[in-house]
Amino acid sequence: MALIVQKYGGTSVGSVERIQAVAQRVYKTVKAGNSIVVVVSAMGKTTDGLVKLATEISPNPNRREMDMLLSTGEQVTIALLSMALQELGQPAISMTGAQVGIITEAQYSRARILHIETTRLTRHINEGKVVVVAGFQGISSAGEMEITTLGRGGSDTSAVAIAAALKANFCEIYTDVPGILTTDPRLVAEAQLMDAITCDEMLELASLGAKVLHPRAVEIARNYGVPLVVRSSWTDQPGTWVTSTKPQGRSLINLEIARPVDAVEFDTDQAKVALLRVPDKPGVAARLFGEISRQKVDVDLIIQSVHEGNSNDIAFTVTTPILRRAEAVATAIAPALRSQSNPNLDEAEVMIENNIAKVSIAGAGMIGRPGVAAKMFATLAEAGVNIQMISTSEVKVSCVVNANQCDRAVTALRTAFEIEAGKQGSREAGESACIDSPVPNCPPVRGVALDLNQARLAIRQLPDRPGMAAKLFGLLAQHNISVDMIIQSQRCRVIDGVPRRDIAFTVSRIDGESAKKMLTQVAAELGWGEVVLDSAIAKVSIVGAGMVGQPGVAAKMFEALAQQQINIQMIATSEIKISCVVAQEQGVKALQAIHAAFELAGSEKFVVPA
């Protein structure tokens, strides 16, 4: 007999008939000898309707009252589903988040779960009842016992957290698609169903806008080793398993706010190749990395930064033994990248640096926490370590620094994030990165995601000295603004005797204007240059744990964009993700081209139910 947590989203319980169908599925699972906890969302568009009612009363409703209002949507569903189960002869009891004992931070509309009191839940399970729990909500730990909500998509988080607290055999997420697909079936009808995907791959896809699973739910599954499967509410297909490595024995206290960083990693076997002043036009990255791929040069980090004018810088890192080969490829192709439209433009210049190291923090607790990257940058600044390159993902932030500063950087980061040297969570060069083992025989690219909800900010002429990144991203963290891609230019300009670089980063579009206003004021005070905002961008990304050690993956992505005459504005990579910023109006075309290039389409077309 297994203990199973099942979660049903709003479309799955959107009508009386659908609630009765869910009851039949739950009843069938119980009759097979299992104990069941069911977590449900509000029916259909109930939450949207409640939000609309609130805004008709107040243009800026009080957040406490909004949580009080929105939490009622799930209460309707739990009562109706419990009644439906009882009509089938199955004992059932409905419970709100507070009744279950889901204790959260005292933060309205975006609370994180601290712990779950399982005594009452376990008693009802042992009595043979199906416990139907209201997802998306909890109660604050303070004496006031305030109702809180976890944010949109929070029912996924509720379900996986309950599964972790109960040590359930697995957690099933029922939704309106048959599992995890290679991309959004609304954009590519031939998107293919995956049998399995790693937690790290799913974290990247979920955070890039793949709406099948909430990133916080995947984070909990990864941290506590909860077996997770995504299935269709309408069929009996097996769905997609989200696999994780062996759990780390974490405490269930401070469940969502415990240690965000599990590892400090470093690699001193690194060298950097930068091409400065390459033309800002479609095909340049494809041509460069196509040749790199043909020469079997395996690239680690890739960044393309934003510049004024019509040229860009592209930089990448390689392991030291293949530096000469990488340098030869870059030097050979640089003249061919000269701008044909402007022959007077300086020829692309190759810059080599082999006295570098890559230092990283890794862990699944970084999602939506702007202070983590800021803390890393501040720690390096306090240690007097200057950052040359930055690469970010959902599970890792990497900085390229001078090799002679590597030990100092690692020691400072281990202290700041309380990671003991020589213990789990501390990796040295040559050891495996903080990435789940890939699914056996999986292709290098598992999925393609498109994010149309980002804006890019660029700050010109930031002084190139320790502490600048810490200052910038610390300010954003103080204003609760999460940053996604971060690119620091390779080109350095000396102004009034001070070396300066540009830095660009992406944020949620809703934060774009407020971030620009705040940074423009600060820039004037600190002597930084102009702050430029571009809200008309799209970010398209490929994700796959199998791309490690595959030199041609980036080249294939860039070539797919070049063939569609799509210009790449920014590039950022991690071990399992490559992201490109393109013009917003070209975002969907970019996704479709890349999905086709990696032959991810299947023979079956998926239609998402209304």
Side-chain angles (χ1 to χ4, degrees):
M1 185 176 86
L3 173 57
I4 303 169
V5 177
Q6 295 182 341
K7 180 262 175 178
Y8 294 90
T11 54
S12 303
V13 291
S15 66
V16 168
E17 292 75 22
R18 289 184 177 182
I19 288 173
Q20 290 171 329
V22 167
Q24 288 284 356
R25 186 187 288 272
V26 173
Y27 181 65
K28 181 179 176 183
T29 308
V30 173
K31 289 306 173 188
N34 302 293
S35 296
I36 305 293
V37 174
V38 183
V39 177
V40 293
S41 300
M43 293 174 65
K45 301 291 185 181
T46 298
T47 302
D48 292 336
L50 292 172
V51 170
K52 185 173 183 293
L53 281 174
T55 55
E56 287 175 0
I57 295 289
S58 169
N60 187 25
N62 179 277
R63 285 171 60 187
R64 178 192 182 277
E65 304 308 330
M66 282 300 293
D67 275 14
M68 186 68 76
L69 175 67
L70 297 184
S71 65
T72 64
E74 281 71 19
Q75 291 179 47
V76 173
T77 316
I78 59 174
L80 293 175
L81 180 55
S82 293
M83 293 174 193
L85 285 164
Q86 291 162 9
E87 283 298 305
L88 295 173
Q90 171 59 48
I93 184 170
S94 62
M95 298 176 72
T96 65
Q99 289 172 319
V100 168
I102 298 176
I103 309 301
T104 75
E105 301 171 301
Q107 289 282 339
Y108 300 116
S109 78
R110 57 170 185 266
R112 291 181 181 272
I113 298 172
L114 300 178
H115 63 277
I116 300 176
E117 304 281 359
T118 58
T119 306
R120 187 177 179 187
L121 200 53
T122 303
R123 175 164 52 84
H124 288 307
I125 293 168
N126 292 339
E127 291 170 353
K129 297 175 185 173
V130 171
V131 184
V132 185
V133 179
F136 169 70
Q137 62 180 251
I139 191 166
S140 70
S141 57
E144 288 82 3
M145 298 180 68
E146 292 287 287
I147 291 174
T148 56
T149 65
L150 310 182
R152 297 302 288 265
S155 292
D156 288 351
T157 306
S158 301
V160 181
I162 289 170
L166 291 173
K167 295 181 171 58
N169 294 84
F170 54 91
C171 179
E172 299 176 323
I173 305 291
Y174 285 93
T175 183
D176 52 8
V177 291
I180 310 298
L181 302 173
T182 51
T183 195
D184 187 340
R186 298 170 183 85
L187 302 178
V188 179
E190 298 82 11
Q192 193 171 348
L193 179 66
M194 299 182 227
D195 295 329
I197 186 171
T198 68
C199 267
D200 283 324
E201 291 171 320
M202 193 64 238
L203 272 172
E204 299 286 10
L205 286 171
S207 301
L208 290 167
K211 299 178 178 62
V212 178
L213 268 177
H214 196 280
R216 283 166 59 188
V218 185
E219 176 187 25
I220 297 168
R222 182 187 189 277
N223 286 340
Y224 292 93
V226 178
L228 191 58
V229 60
V230 179
R231 290 183 171 144
S232 170
S233 299
W234 325 113
T235 71
D236 291 322
Q237 289 180 277
T240 305
W241 284 91
V242 183
T243 63
S244 58
T245 51
K246 187 178 178 181
Q248 302 169 21
R250 285 172 174 257
S251 168
L252 287 161
I253 303 299
N254 291 332
L255 191 145
E256 275 203 278
I257 65 168
R259 186 192 305 277
V261 173
D262 298 319
V264 174
E265 305 169 7
F266 65 93
D267 186 353
T268 55
D269 190 26
Q270 292 257 316
K272 179 174 70 176
V273 180
L275 276 83
L276 309 184
R277 295 182 295 277
V278 299
D280 182 21
K281 64 181 183 181
V284 170
R287 193 166 179 182
L288 171 61
F289 289 97
E291 188 58 35
I292 286 172
S293 171
R294 283 187 285 276
Q295 298 301 323
K296 303 291 189 247
V297 174
D298 193 15
V299 172
D300 183 5
L301 302 180
I302 302 172
I303 66 165
Q304 177 180 309
S305 50
V306 175
H307 274 286
E308 297 170 280
N310 56 358
S311 70
N312 281 323
D313 298 343
I314 299 178
F316 57 93
T317 61
V318 295
T319 56
T320 304
I322 62 173
L323 173 61
R324 293 300 163 222
R325 199 158 17 124
E327 181 181 4
V329 173
T331 302
I333 201 170
L337 296 179
R338 180 184 296 188
S339 174
Q340 300 301 314
S341 60
N342 187 358
N344 297 321
L345 190 70
D346 289 341
E347 184 176 336
E349 175 189 350
V350 178
M351 183 174 70
I352 303 296
E353 188 166 354
N354 53 19
N355 187 32
I356 64 167
K358 182 176 72 171
V359 181
S360 309
I361 56 172
M366 303 181 187
I367 298 167
R369 302 187 203 183
V372 176
K375 183 176 179 178
M376 179 188 192
F377 302 150
T379 300
L380 294 177
E382 289 166 10
V385 176
N386 198 34
I387 300 169
Q388 299 181 23
M389 293 172 70
I390 300 169
S391 174
T392 58
S393 79
E394 292 307 322
V395 294
K396 183 176 287 189
V397 181
S398 298
C399 295
V400 170
V401 302
N402 285 334
N404 58 11
Q405 296 180 325
C406 180
D407 288 347
R408 197 191 324 159
V410 170
T411 300
L413 290 171
R414 281 174 173 162
T415 300
F417 290 102
E418 300 176 2
I419 304 292
E420 293 185 45
K423 296 210 174 175
Q424 181 179 1
S426 177
R427 299 178 178 82
E428 303 189 4
E431 294 186 85
S432 62
C434 186
I435 300 295
D436 293 334
S437 299
V439 178
N441 303 316
C442 70
V445 174
R446 308 300 312 286
V448 185
L450 177 66
D451 190 341
L452 293 168
N453 296 308
Q454 293 211 346
R456 181 182 63 226
L457 284 149
I459 301 180
R460 309 295 187 191
Q461 302 169 18
L462 217 64
D464 183 30
R465 58 172 179 258
M468 285 300 100
K471 183 76 173 176
L472 168 59
F473 295 104
L475 284 166
L476 291 166
Q478 288 171 24
H479 288 78
N480 203 36
I481 296 173
S482 293
V483 175
D484 184 15
M485 294 172 68
I486 303 172
I487 305 293
Q488 186 170 266
S489 72
Q490 296 304 294
R491 211 180 309 176
C492 197
R493 287 177 286 181
V494 178
I495 301 174
D496 297 329
V498 178
R500 295 173 179 267
R501 297 182 192 271
D502 297 342
I503 193 163
F505 53 92
T506 60
V507 299
S508 174
R509 187 172 297 158
I510 61 172
D511 290 328
E513 288 291 349
S514 58
K516 180 187 177 183
K517 183 178 179 181
M518 181 267 292
L519 291 174
T520 298
Q521 181 178 346
V522 171
E525 296 169 0
L526 298 179
W528 298 350
E530 181 187 11
V531 179
V532 182
L533 173 67
D534 184 357
S535 297
I537 64 165
K539 184 181 76 170
V540 63
S541 307
I542 56 174
V543 173
M547 69 172 66
V548 178
Q550 298 280 343
V553 175
K556 183 179 281 192
M557 179 184 188
F558 302 153
E559 178 59 30
L561 296 175
Q563 288 178 358
Q564 297 296 321
Q565 289 296 300
I566 296 172
N567 193 36
I568 300 172
Q569 300 178 17
M570 291 171 69
I571 301 170
T573 68
S574 71
E575 282 92 336
I576 64 170
K577 179 178 73 172
I578 302 172
S579 295
C580 295
V581 168
V582 301
Q584 183 180 20
E585 69 269 15
Q586 295 182 311
V588 173
K589 185 166 73 168
L591 175 135
Q592 293 169 339
I594 293 167
H595 194 269
F598 285 99
E599 300 177 355
L600 295 176
S603 56
E604 184 179 354
K605 291 190 177 184
F606 292 105
V607 178
V608 180

PDB file of all heavy atoms in Angstrom, residues 346-357:
ATOM      1  N   ASP A 346      36.436  48.998 -36.700  1.00  0.00           N
ATOM      2  CA  ASP A 346      37.601  48.238 -36.270  1.00  0.00           C
ATOM      3  C   ASP A 346      37.352  46.746 -36.428  1.00  0.00           C
ATOM      4  O   ASP A 346      36.259  46.252 -36.159  1.00  0.00           O
ATOM      5  CB  ASP A 346      37.908  48.525 -34.792  1.00  0.00           C
ATOM      6  CG  ASP A 346      38.462  49.922 -34.593  1.00  0.00           C
ATOM      7  OD1 ASP A 346      38.929  50.510 -35.586  1.00  0.00           O
ATOM      8  OD2 ASP A 346      38.416  50.398 -33.447  1.00  0.00           O
ATOM      9  N   GLU A 347      38.370  46.036 -36.863  1.00  0.00           N
ATOM     10  CA  GLU A 347      38.254  44.595 -37.042  1.00  0.00           C
ATOM     11  C   GLU A 347      38.028  43.917 -35.703  1.00  0.00           C
ATOM     12  O   GLU A 347      38.533  44.362 -34.665  1.00  0.00           O
ATOM     13  CB  GLU A 347      39.538  44.058 -37.680  1.00  0.00           C
ATOM     14  CG  GLU A 347      39.485  42.574 -37.992  1.00  0.00           C
ATOM     15  CD  GLU A 347      40.747  42.114 -38.716  1.00  0.00           C
ATOM     16  OE1 GLU A 347      41.393  42.945 -39.353  1.00  0.00           O
ATOM     17  OE2 GLU A 347      41.052  40.918 -38.613  1.00  0.00           O
ATOM     18  N   ALA A 348      37.237  42.840 -35.730  1.00  0.00           N
ATOM     19  CA  ALA A 348      37.003  42.078 -34.511  1.00  0.00           C
ATOM     20  C   ALA A 348      38.341  41.668 -33.902  1.00  0.00           C
ATOM     21  O   ALA A 348      39.224  41.156 -34.585  1.00  0.00           O
ATOM     22  CB  ALA A 348      36.142  40.849 -34.825  1.00  0.00           C
ATOM     23  N   GLU A 349      38.475  41.896 -32.618  1.00  0.00           N
ATOM     24  CA  GLU A 349      39.732  41.634 -31.916  1.00  0.00           C
ATOM     25  C   GLU A 349      39.560  40.436 -30.996  1.00  0.00           C
ATOM     26  O   GLU A 349      38.549  40.285 -30.320  1.00  0.00           O
ATOM     27  CB  GLU A 349      40.120  42.870 -31.094  1.00  0.00           C
ATOM     28  CG  GLU A 349      41.339  42.677 -30.221  1.00  0.00           C
ATOM     29  CD  GLU A 349      41.542  43.839 -29.270  1.00  0.00           C
ATOM     30  OE1 GLU A 349      40.846  44.869 -29.417  1.00  0.00           O
ATOM     31  OE2 GLU A 349      42.382  43.720 -28.366  1.00  0.00           O
ATOM     32  N   VAL A 350      40.556  39.560 -30.970  1.00  0.00           N
ATOM     33  CA  VAL A 350      40.530  38.384 -30.107  1.00  0.00           C
ATOM     34  C   VAL A 350      41.344  38.679 -28.845  1.00  0.00           C
ATOM     35  O   VAL A 350      42.492  39.122 -28.929  1.00  0.00           O
ATOM     36  CB  VAL A 350      41.108  37.146 -30.820  1.00  0.00           C
ATOM     37  CG1 VAL A 350      41.110  35.942 -29.880  1.00  0.00           C
ATOM     38  CG2 VAL A 350      40.304  36.837 -32.071  1.00  0.00           C
ATOM     39  N   MET A 351      40.736  38.449 -27.710  1.00  0.00           N
ATOM     40  CA  MET A 351      41.408  38.686 -26.429  1.00  0.00           C
ATOM     41  C   MET A 351      41.444  37.372 -25.657  1.00  0.00           C
ATOM     42  O   MET A 351      40.419  36.693 -25.508  1.00  0.00           O
ATOM     43  CB  MET A 351      40.641  39.742 -25.629  1.00  0.00           C
ATOM     44  CG  MET A 351      41.291  40.128 -24.318  1.00  0.00           C
ATOM     45  SD  MET A 351      40.398  41.513 -23.508  1.00  0.00           S
ATOM     46  CE  MET A 351      38.859  40.694 -23.026  1.00  0.00           C
ATOM     47  N   ILE A 352      42.624  36.973 -25.194  1.00  0.00           N
ATOM     48  CA  ILE A 352      42.807  35.704 -24.489  1.00  0.00           C
ATOM     49  C   ILE A 352      43.221  35.979 -23.052  1.00  0.00           C
ATOM     50  O   ILE A 352      44.047  36.847 -22.785  1.00  0.00           O
ATOM     51  CB  ILE A 352      43.900  34.842 -25.175  1.00  0.00           C
ATOM     52  CG1 ILE A 352      43.556  34.595 -26.642  1.00  0.00           C
ATOM     53  CG2 ILE A 352      44.095  33.526 -24.416  1.00  0.00           C
ATOM     54  CD1 ILE A 352      42.301  33.796 -26.861  1.00  0.00           C
ATOM     55  N   GLU A 353      42.642  35.229 -22.135  1.00  0.00           N
ATOM     56  CA  GLU A 353      43.082  35.306 -20.754  1.00  0.00           C
ATOM     57  C   GLU A 353      43.070  33.905 -20.163  1.00  0.00           C
ATOM     58  O   GLU A 353      42.025  33.235 -20.165  1.00  0.00           O
ATOM     59  CB  GLU A 353      42.177  36.233 -19.937  1.00  0.00           C
ATOM     60  CG  GLU A 353      42.720  36.480 -18.546  1.00  0.00           C
ATOM     61  CD  GLU A 353      42.036  37.635 -17.841  1.00  0.00           C
ATOM     62  OE1 GLU A 353      41.213  38.323 -18.490  1.00  0.00           O
ATOM     63  OE2 GLU A 353      42.311  37.840 -16.661  1.00  0.00           O
ATOM     64  N   ASN A 354      44.237  33.446 -19.707  1.00  0.00           N
ATOM     65  CA  ASN A 354      44.289  32.078 -19.178  1.00  0.00           C
ATOM     66  C   ASN A 354      44.549  32.021 -17.680  1.00  0.00           C
ATOM     67  O   ASN A 354      44.654  30.946 -17.112  1.00  0.00           O
ATOM     68  CB  ASN A 354      45.336  31.236 -19.923  1.00  0.00           C
ATOM     69  CG  ASN A 354      46.702  31.888 -19.948  1.00  0.00           C
ATOM     70  OD1 ASN A 354      46.979  32.775 -19.143  1.00  0.00           O
ATOM     71  ND2 ASN A 354      47.547  31.453 -20.873  1.00  0.00           N
ATOM     72  N   ASN A 355      44.629  33.160 -17.042  1.00  0.00           N
ATOM     73  CA  ASN A 355      44.854  33.191 -15.594  1.00  0.00           C
ATOM     74  C   ASN A 355      43.533  33.446 -14.869  1.00  0.00           C
ATOM     75  O   ASN A 355      43.377  34.408 -14.120  1.00  0.00           O
ATOM     76  CB  ASN A 355      45.871  34.286 -15.260  1.00  0.00           C
ATOM     77  CG  ASN A 355      46.273  34.261 -13.793  1.00  0.00           C
ATOM     78  OD1 ASN A 355      46.308  33.201 -13.178  1.00  0.00           O
ATOM     79  ND2 ASN A 355      46.541  35.431 -13.241  1.00  0.00           N
ATOM     80  N   ILE A 356      42.544  32.568 -15.129  1.00  0.00           N
ATOM     81  CA  ILE A 356      41.209  32.769 -14.556  1.00  0.00           C
ATOM     82  C   ILE A 356      40.713  31.502 -13.856  1.00  0.00           C
ATOM     83  O   ILE A 356      41.257  30.409 -14.048  1.00  0.00           O
ATOM     84  CB  ILE A 356      40.170  33.181 -15.626  1.00  0.00           C
ATOM     85  CG1 ILE A 356      39.980  32.050 -16.653  1.00  0.00           C
ATOM     86  CG2 ILE A 356      40.555  34.480 -16.295  1.00  0.00           C
ATOM     87  CD1 ILE A 356      38.774  32.232 -17.535  1.00  0.00           C
ATOM     88  N   ALA A 357      39.679  31.669 -13.074  1.00  0.00           N
ATOM     89  CA  ALA A 357      38.998  30.546 -12.422  1.00  0.00           C
ATOM     90  C   ALA A 357      37.500  30.830 -12.413  1.00  0.00           C
ATOM     91  O   ALA A 357      37.079  31.987 -12.439  1.00  0.00           O
ATOM     92  CB  ALA A 357      39.505  30.367 -10.996  1.00  0.00           C
TER      93      ALA A 357
END
